[in-house]
């Protein structure tokens, strides 16, 4: 059993764990466990996420914001589904208004278990509070962490996070959720406590507003963050072959790796896995042919927000560089970004595991020369020339044995860039679990 600081609240109210909501006023220990609720982007790196982990909190799911939704929310509710890599006896959520230009007003928020197949919940949703209040305002460019809410979850649980948004606001999103999320009609108001799916008449394949879910589980030894561009983000992970799609099946290689961890590592070496991939991004910030839509979303620019601000992070799985080459960056630009990111992660006490740049048939000879230089740096001594803690051999497992600058056809979605479900599986199977376990908190 998990030793929980919330056990006293359960006994006091004589209710099951999935039916209790805790506020700061109700339980003094939550104040000690909670992070500061309202923040804006930090000026520098901090180790606050690592310190919080000593209190048993770990980020179990994430979805990095990178844009604004095409249409605003107008006095309506959203229900976003988060697939947890690990469970616990309580959770808390992060709401972001990173790209917003006006304040985000949240009238109510709830969490509930769901089967992930509809907007219906399995039990009555539990209210979520923010420093003891049911309402919250997130300023433009800001973010908000909730208080702890008792909800018993396990590895692989799907959690419905519902928010009622007041007024008119354009929400930030993570576009490639690869699952269905739900909205009520504009003007419908607060339906966060609904168990039924009836009010959630609209759908989206993006995740709005919610960017992280923490679980309270002192048994966990850390949270591992997959950090990179489209293959981390999951492009290809719904492709199970010609005419076959597995939408909402959580088949990204990071998802598969999370399941490997729960089934293959002992109970004393369990980790959460959070995904911080953003499609189309680069490691280096100043590639000359970079698309405007992803400018300012490079690995260095979003490191604080999407990795260091998460909780209990002990390791990062770094899969970047594939887009830097066609965007026109040379080897020195890529390596400069690698060194800077790795240095900042190490300064925060986080271990770094890196893959060499994987092949693409569309790379020119010059691209492949840059790739060779970068990969020689990563592979040297199996620790990025002394700057990282281990190497994941994704380049070797994906390459076509007959055409080594291309992806092996059984793993190729057909675009020469992304890998299908079989490719996602082989990437996850390639990662050394003993290597990752070396990042465990002592």
């Amino acid at each position: 059993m998990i030793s929980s600081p919330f056990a006293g609240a359960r006994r006091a109210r004589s209710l099951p764990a999935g039916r209790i909501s805790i506020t700061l006023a109700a339980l003094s220990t939550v104040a000690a466990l909670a992070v500061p609720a309202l923040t804006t982007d930090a000026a520098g790196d901090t180790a606050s996420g690592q310190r919080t982990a000593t209190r048993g909190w770990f980020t179990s799911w994430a979805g990095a914001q990178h844009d604004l939704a095409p249409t605003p929310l107008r006095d309506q509710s959203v229900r976003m589904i988060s697939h947890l890599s690990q469970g616990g006896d309580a959770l808390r959520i992060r709401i972001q208004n990173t790209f917003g230009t006006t304040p985000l007003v949240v009238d109510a928020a709830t969490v509930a278990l769901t089967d992930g197949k509809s907007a219906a919940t399995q039990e009555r949703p539990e209210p979520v509070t923010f420093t003891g209040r049911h309402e919250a305002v997130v300023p433009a460019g800001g973010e908000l962490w909730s208080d702890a809410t008792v909800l018993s979850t396990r590895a692989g649980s799907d959690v419905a996070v519902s928010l009622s948004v007041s007024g008119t606001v354009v929400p930030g999103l993570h576009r490639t959720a690869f699952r269905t999320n739900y909205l009520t009609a504009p003007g419908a108001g607060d339906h966060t406590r609904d168990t039924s799916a009836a009010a959630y008449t609209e759908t989206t394949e993006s995740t709005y507003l919610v960017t992280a879910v923490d679980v309270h589980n002192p048994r966990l030894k850390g949270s591992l963050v997959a950090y990179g561009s489209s293959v981390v983000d999951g492009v290809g992970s719904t492709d199970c072959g010609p005419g076959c799609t597995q939408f909402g099946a959580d088949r990204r290689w990071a998802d598969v790796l999370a399941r490997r961890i729960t089934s293959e590592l002992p109970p004393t070496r369990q980790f959460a896995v959070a995904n911080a991939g953003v499609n189309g991004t680069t490691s280096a910030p100043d590639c000359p042919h970079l698309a405007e839509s992803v400018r300012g979303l490079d690995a260095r620019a979003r490191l604080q927000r999407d990795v260091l601000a998460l909780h209990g992070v002990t390791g990062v799985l770094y899969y970047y560089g594939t887009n830097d080459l066609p965007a026109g960056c040379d080897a020195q630009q890529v390596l400069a970004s690698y060194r800077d990111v790795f240095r900042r992660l190490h300064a925060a006490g986080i271990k770094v595991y890196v893959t060499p740049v994987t092949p693409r048939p569309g790379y020119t000879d010059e691209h492949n020369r840059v790739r060779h230089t970068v990969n020689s740096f990563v592979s040297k001594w199996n620790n990025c020339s002394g700057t990282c803690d281990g190497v994941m051999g994704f380049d070797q497992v994906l390459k076509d044995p007959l055409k080594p600058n291309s992806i092996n056809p059984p793993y190729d979605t057909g675009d020469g860039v992304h890998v299908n479900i079989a490719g996602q599986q082989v990437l996850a199977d390639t990662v050394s679990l003993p290597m990752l376990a070396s990042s465990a908190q002592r």
Side-chain angles (χ1 to χ4, degrees), residues 323-336:
N323 292 330
D324 296 65
L325 278 58
C329 267
D330 60 31
Q332 295 312 308
Q333 290 172 291
V334 177
L335 294 180

Side-chain angles (χ1 to χ4, degrees), residues 35 50 78 87 99 157 205 299 344 346 356 372:
V35 294
Q50 315 323 309
V78 302
F99 297 93
S157 288
E205 295 179 8
R344 290 167 62 188
H346 281 156
H372 174 76

Side-chain angles (χ1 to χ4, degrees), residues 117-179:
K117 298 176 182 177
S118 77
T121 64
Q122 295 175 340
E123 293 182 341
R124 176 176 57 84
E126 293 296 328
V128 173
T129 60
F130 306 90
T131 58
R133 298 177 60 86
H134 292 283
E135 308 83 15
V137 178
V138 188
E143 67 176 38
L144 185 67
W145 282 95
S146 76
D147 302 331
T149 299
V150 170
L151 186 73
S152 294
T153 57
R154 61 184 181 180
S157 288
D158 286 316
V159 174
V161 181
S162 304
L163 305 173
S164 173
V165 176
S166 178
T168 299
V169 65
V170 181
L173 59 69
H174 183 88
R175 194 175 309 280
T176 43
F178 296 111
R179 72 176 316 122

Side-chain angles (χ1 to χ4, degrees), residues 59 319 346 394:
T59 300
Y319 190 170
H346 281 156
F394 290 178

Side-chain angles (χ1 to χ4, degrees), residues 239 253 397-398 410-412 419-429:
D239 182 348
W253 65 266
V397 74
L398 288 186
Y411 306 143
D412 193 349
V419 296
N420 56 24
I421 286 176
Q424 304 282 339
Q425 180 73 51
V426 77
L427 290 179
D429 290 344

Side-chain angles (χ1 to χ4, degrees), residues 10-42:
R10 289 196 190 93
R11 290 192 297 270
R13 297 183 59 182
S14 302
L15 291 173
R19 304 297 300 273
I20 308 168
S21 177
I22 292 181
T23 68
L24 294 180
L27 185 62
S28 61
T29 54
V30 175
L33 289 167
V35 294
L38 185 59
T39 63
T40 55
D41 289 341

Side-chain angles (χ1 to χ4, degrees), residues 42-48 300 303-304 308 340-341 343-345 347-348:
D45 298 342
T46 71
S48 62
R300 288 195 282 188
L303 185 68
Q304 173 63 37
L308 294 171
D340 184 50
V341 170
R343 175 189 59 78
R344 290 167 62 188
L345 290 169

Side-chain angles (χ1 to χ4, degrees), residues 37 163 245 248 266 270 387 430:
L163 305 173
T245 300
Q270 287 292 302
T387 67
T430 298

